C-alpha cells in the first residue's frame, strides 16, 4: 500500500513538472503556413513579356532590311530642344496658312492669262488688238474697266477711282481684281475663249500675288520696253482727242514715276520665274507685232 502511494506521488510530481515546462518554454513557435501560389501570371508581367517580344520582332525585321534599330538619345542640349520647338511651331504655322490659303476661281489648265505690261504709251492696247484677232484672246484692259466703272451710274467706286486716276496713283487692288474677275466670268458665260490678255495689270507685286491667289496663276508676262521720250510724245498726241483726265503732262510724268517705282519690280520678280518675254517698242507697229507673234506661236506649240 505504501508502495502504491509512493508511485502515485511520483506521477503527480512528474505531471506538475511537465506543465511548468510547457507554460514557461522558450522554444520558437512553428512558422506560419506559406501563402497559396497565384493561379496565373499578373498583368504587368504579361505586358513586360509582350513588350520584349515586340522589340525582338522589330529588331529582326530591321536587320533583314539592312537597318539597325534606332537608339534613343539619352540627353538633349538646350539648343537641340529649342530647335525642335521652333520646328514644331513652323510646321503648325505652315499648316494653318495652308488651310487659310484661298482657292483660285479658275484652273490654270483651263484658263490662260497673259499679263501685258509696259509704260504708259508703250503700245500695249494696239498689240493686244492684234493678238485678239489672231489667237482668239479676250482683251481686258484694267484701265478701261476702271474707267467704265467710274462712269457707271450708281457705282460705289466711281469717285474713288476718279481721284486715283487723276492723281496718277494706283487704284486699290481689291477693286481692280474684282472687276477683272467679273469681266472674265462674263466672257466665259458668253462662250468666248478662255484666254485672257490682261493689259496694264498688275501694277504692283502685291496685286500680282493676290490675283494669282484668288483668280488664276498667269501663264506669262509680255513686257513692252519703250523709251520714256517716245511714250511721252505718243501720250500727248493721244491727249489731243482722247478726253482722258490723265493724258496731260503732269499726270503723264506722275505715271512714269509710278511705273518705274512699282511696276518694274513686278517684272523683275516674274523674271526670276522665267515668265517674262520682252519686246522693244521703239520700232514700227508691224515689226513689233512680228516679235509678239513669234512668242505666242512658241507658247501654243508647247501646249500641243
Amino acid at each position: 500500500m505504501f508502495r502504491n502511494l509512493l508511485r502515485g506521488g511520483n506521477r503527480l510530481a512528474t505531471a506538475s513538472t511537465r506543465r511548468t515546462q510547457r507554460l514557461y518554454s522558450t522554444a520558437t513557435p512553428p512558422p506560419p503556413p506559406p501563402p497559396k501560389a497565384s493561379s496565373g501570371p499578373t498583368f504587368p508581367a504579361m505586358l513586360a513579356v509582350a513588350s520584349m517580344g515586340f522589340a525582338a520582332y522589330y529588331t529582326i525585321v530591321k536587320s533583314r532590311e539592312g537597318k539597325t534599330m534606332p537608339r534613343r538619345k539619352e540627353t538633349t542640349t538646350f539648343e537641340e530642344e529649342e530647335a525642335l520647338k521652333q520646328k514644331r511651331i513652323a510646321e503648325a504655322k505652315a499648316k494653318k496658312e495652308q488651310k487659310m490659303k484661298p482657292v483660285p476661281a479658275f484652273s490654270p489648265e483651263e484658263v490662260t492669262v497673259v499679263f501685258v505690261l509696259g509704260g504708259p504709251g508703250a503700245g500695249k492696247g494696239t498689240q493686244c488688238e492684234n493678238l485678239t484677232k489672231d489667237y482668239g484672246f479676250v482683251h481686258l484692259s484694267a484701265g478701261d474697266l476702271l474707267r467704265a466703272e467710274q462712269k457707271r451710274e450708281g457705282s460705289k467706286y466711281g469717285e474713288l477711282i476718279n481721284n486715283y486716276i487723276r492723281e496718277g496713283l494706283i487704284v486699290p487692288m481689291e477693286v481692280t481684281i474684282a472687276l477683272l474677275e467679273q469681266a472674265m466670268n462674263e466672257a466665259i458665260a458668253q462662250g468666248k475663249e478662255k484666254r485672257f490678255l490682261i493689259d496694264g495689270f498688275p501694277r504692283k507685286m502685291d496685286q500680282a500675288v493676290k490675283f494669282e491667289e484668288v483668280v488664276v496663276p498667269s501663264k506669262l508676262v509680255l513686257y513692252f520696253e519703250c523709251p520714256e521720250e517716245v511714250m511721252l510724245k505718243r501720250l500727248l498726241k493721244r491727249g489731243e482727242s482722247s478726253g482722258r483726265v490723265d493724258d496731260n503732262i503732269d499726270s503723264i510724268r506722275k505715271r512714269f514715276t509710278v511705273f518705274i517705282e512699282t511696276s518694274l519690280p513686278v517684272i523683275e520678280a516674274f523674271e526670276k520665274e522665267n515668265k517674262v518675254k520682252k519686246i522693244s517698242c521703239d520700232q514700227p507697229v508691224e515689226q513689233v507685232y512680228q516679235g509678239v507673234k513669234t512668242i505666242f506661236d512658241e507658247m501654243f506649240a508647247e501646249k500641243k
Side-chain angles (χ1 to χ4, degrees):
M1 182 177 176
F2 178 78
R3 188 180 296 171
N4 289 339
L5 290 172
L6 182 61
R7 288 176 179 172
N10 289 336
R11 290 193 190 100
L12 290 172
T14 302
S16 175
T17 303
R18 287 177 178 172
R19 284 195 299 271
T20 303
Q21 288 175 348
R22 279 196 295 269
L23 288 172
Y24 296 100
S25 174
T26 59
T28 304
K36 291 184 179 181
S38 174
S39 58
T42 63
F43 177 75
M46 293 174 65
L47 185 61
V49 172
S51 300
M52 289 188 291
F54 176 76
Y57 172 76
Y58 181 80
T59 305
I60 292 170
V61 170
K62 291 300 177 184
S63 65
R64 288 178 179 175
E65 295 176 355
K67 300 176 181 178
T68 57
M69 190 171 177
R71 296 180 177 274
R72 185 178 176 183
K73 206 172 182 181
E74 297 296 330
T75 58
T76 56
T77 64
F78 172 78
E79 289 78 9
E80 290 172 333
E81 290 180 357
E82 189 66 22
L84 182 60
K85 180 181 176 182
Q86 294 301 323
K87 181 182 177 182
R88 288 172 178 167
I89 292 173
E91 289 174 349
K93 183 180 179 181
K95 288 181 180 179
K96 184 178 179 181
E97 289 177 351
Q98 186 66 28
K99 289 180 180 178
M100 296 175 63
K101 191 175 181 179
V103 178
F106 305 107
S107 166
E109 285 75 29
E110 298 177 359
V111 174
T112 300
V113 165
V114 175
F115 291 142
V116 183
L117 298 178
K124 301 184 295 295
T126 302
Q127 299 302 327
C128 286
E129 288 177 9
N130 293 331
L131 289 169
T132 299
K133 288 184 294 185
D134 293 342
Y135 295 91
F137 274 86
V138 177
H139 176 208
L140 298 178
S141 167
D144 289 347
L145 290 172
L146 289 168
R147 282 184 287 273
E149 182 66 19
Q150 171 191 352
K151 296 174 183 177
R152 187 174 65 83
E153 187 176 350
S155 170
K156 61 180 178 180
Y157 302 121
E159 188 60 31
L160 178 144
I161 294 171
N162 183 62
N163 292 335
Y164 274 83
I165 290 178
R166 186 175 58 248
E167 295 299 321
L169 301 176
I170 297 174
V171 175
M173 66 178 175
E174 292 79 8
V175 176
T176 309
I177 291 174
L179 293 175
L180 287 168
E181 183 179 350
Q182 179 182 330
M184 290 171 70
N185 277 315
E186 290 174 355
I188 292 171
Q190 293 169 10
K192 295 181 180 180
E193 290 280 357
K194 296 179 180 179
R195 300 173 180 174
F196 298 93
L197 297 168
I198 299 185
D199 169 8
F201 181 92
R203 302 275 298 278
K204 293 175 65 179
M205 199 59 214
D206 60 346
Q207 291 182 346
V209 172
K210 193 66 175 178
F211 181 91
E212 295 197 336
E213 281 183 355
V214 302
V215 183
V216 67
S218 62
K219 176 70 176 176
L220 65 85
V221 177
L222 189 61
Y223 174 43
F224 291 102
E225 293 182 299
C226 193
E228 192 171 300
E229 60 271 16
V230 174
M231 293 189 290
L232 179 60
K233 290 178 182 178
R234 291 177 181 176
L235 291 172
L236 291 175
K237 182 67 176 177
R238 186 179 71 183
E240 295 174 2
S241 58
S242 68
R244 287 174 46 167
V245 296
D246 57 344
D247 275 348
N248 61 77
I249 190 67
D250 291 332
S251 292
I252 291 169
R253 293 293 186 191
K254 289 178 182 177
R255 289 161 65 191
F256 285 158
T257 302
V258 170
F259 178 78
I260 293 169
E261 292 177 350
T262 61
S263 296
L264 283 182
V266 173
I267 295 162
E268 292 169 358
F270 277 119
E271 278 185 315
K272 295 176 182 177
E273 300 179 27
N274 295 318
K275 279 188 175 184
V276 177
K277 300 292 183 180
K278 295 182 179 181
I279 296 291
S280 175
C281 295
D282 189 15
Q283 52 189 331
V285 174
E286 295 77 12
Q287 194 172 339
V288 172
Y289 187 57
Q290 288 305 312
V292 174
K293 282 189 69 176
T294 300
I295 293 170
F296 279 76
D297 287 341
E298 291 176 355
M299 182 178 72
F300 285 109
E302 291 174 0
K303 295 184 72 174
K304 292 180 181 179

